[in-house]
Amino acid sequence: MDLVLLGAPGAGKGTQASLLGEILPLPRVSSGDLFRAALANQTELGLKAKVYMDRGELVPDEITIGMVAERISQPDCAHGVIFDGFPRTVAQAQALDDLLGRMGRKVDLVIYIRVSTPVLLERLAGRWTCPKCGRVYHRLYSPEKVQGECDDCHVPLYQRDDDTPETQSRRIAVYLEQTAPLQAFYRERGLLVEVNGEQDIQAVHADIVKAIQKARGEAA
Ligand code: ADP
Ligand code: AMP
């Protein structure tokens, strides 16, 4: 199954992708994580992407699409992928259709996690991330067991450079301009299921699992 998680920055895509990864035998492909890994390795791609990430802008389509194409050509992606943060433009969505089409696959389901802007801002402001595994925490809603330390890797958590108040607002504006049109793109194709992302993490997860079961024709 190829599943896309769609939603604004802070909607909970990464959180839900991790939970789904525990129950579906599919890899999670997060374009944001791929850029951050490239940057940590100081690759040319990472350094190019950083300029856009720091401003809260989207990395140009040709760079992003090439990077994701390379990732999903790897053997662990042969039976499907959980896409987190990709596609983010109509051109990326069309490219994804082409890439999957060449593998005899298609996007099977798009989950749109709906969250209002004030809630997004509160979530981004309280987000702490593990630099090693990428797991995200929230000081109020999903705290780590030992303050400041990843539960799994036991390394210090950090706040992302692009989680500053100015960049957060820019990223949400960019989402509304460039990514929100994907809601109509996938709705017209009968692939979009909307879930209320303002519920607690487990309730959002339960709604997503129900949508997946329905798409697969399984009883809930
Ligand atoms: P995204 O990947 O869409 O940018 P994240 O999964 O990183 O979003 O979540 C953003 C922040 O909000 C994190 O700190 C996460 O712990 C928290 N969070 C995610 N989902 C929920 C939820 N349903 N309720 C409260 N906080 C949440
Ligand atoms: P994320 O981790 O999904 O919040 O992404 C962090 C940043 O990486 C974004 O603000 C963009 O600058 C960049 N990025 C991630 N995914 C994409 C994408 N699909 N298209 C363009 N830029 C992206």
Side-chain angles (χ1 to χ4, degrees):
M1 170 176 239
D2 286 290
L3 174 71
V4 171
L5 296 179
L6 182 66
K13 301 179 297 296
T15 301
Q16 296 300 329
S18 297
L19 290 174
L20 287 176
E22 291 170 14
I23 57 166
L24 294 175
L26 299 175
R28 162 188 172 201
V29 170
S30 155
S31 39
D33 281 356
L34 292 173
F35 284 130
R36 280 183 289 278
L39 183 57
N41 292 326
Q42 296 281 301
T43 66
E44 198 187 325
L45 177 103
L47 295 172
K48 261 192 206 161
K50 183 181 183 337
V51 179
Y52 299 93
M53 293 168 83
D54 283 350
R55 285 196 236 129
E57 305 283 340
L58 295 185
V59 179
D61 284 336
E62 61 276 18
I63 299 179
T64 308
I65 292 166
M67 175 184 73
V68 172
E70 207 277 317
R71 175 67 188 90
I72 67 173
S73 69
Q74 290 167 17
D76 64 322
C77 295
H79 302 293
V81 168
I82 302 168
F83 290 96
D84 160 10
F86 181 89
R88 259 173 152 104
T89 62
V90 171
Q92 290 180 17
Q94 287 164 339
L96 182 60
D97 282 349
D98 289 348
L99 288 168
L100 291 177
R102 273 185 247 144
M103 299 187 224
R105 288 159 43 188
K106 62 175 184 51
V107 172
D108 296 297
L109 180 64
V110 179
I111 305 280
Y112 166 48
I113 307 175
R114 184 173 37 79
V115 175
S116 61
T117 300
V119 176
L120 294 173
L121 290 170
E122 195 199 1
R123 290 202 187 157
L124 293 173
R127 171 161 68 185
W128 287 77
T129 306
C130 174
K132 201 165 166 202
C133 70
R135 182 167 166 186
V136 291
Y137 297 87
H138 191 284
R139 275 288 135 89
L140 299 176
Y141 307 121
S142 179
E144 60 280 13
K145 290 191 188 117
V146 175
Q147 198 181 340
E149 190 180 293
C150 178
D151 293 352
D152 301 322
C153 310
H154 306 288
V155 298
L157 301 176
Y158 79 107
Q159 278 197 298
R160 280 170 44 175
D161 290 347
D162 60 352
D163 276 346
T164 59
E166 309 75 53
T167 320
Q168 283 163 15
S169 304
R170 182 68 198 133
R171 285 162 62 216
I172 293 170
V174 165
Y175 172 83
L176 295 173
E177 278 162 29
Q178 298 187 51
T179 309
L182 290 182
Q183 292 163 33
F185 180 93
Y186 285 123
R187 191 176 289 115
E188 280 159 19
R189 286 161 178 74
L191 295 174
L192 194 85
V193 174
E194 183 171 316
V195 303
N196 173 6
E198 297 197 5
Q199 309 170 85
D200 68 41
I201 291 173
Q202 287 305 330
V204 177
H205 176 62
D207 281 358
I208 294 176
V209 170
K210 269 188 225 149
I212 293 172
Q213 286 172 335
K214 195 167 171 215
R216 285 172 155 179
E218 293 168 10

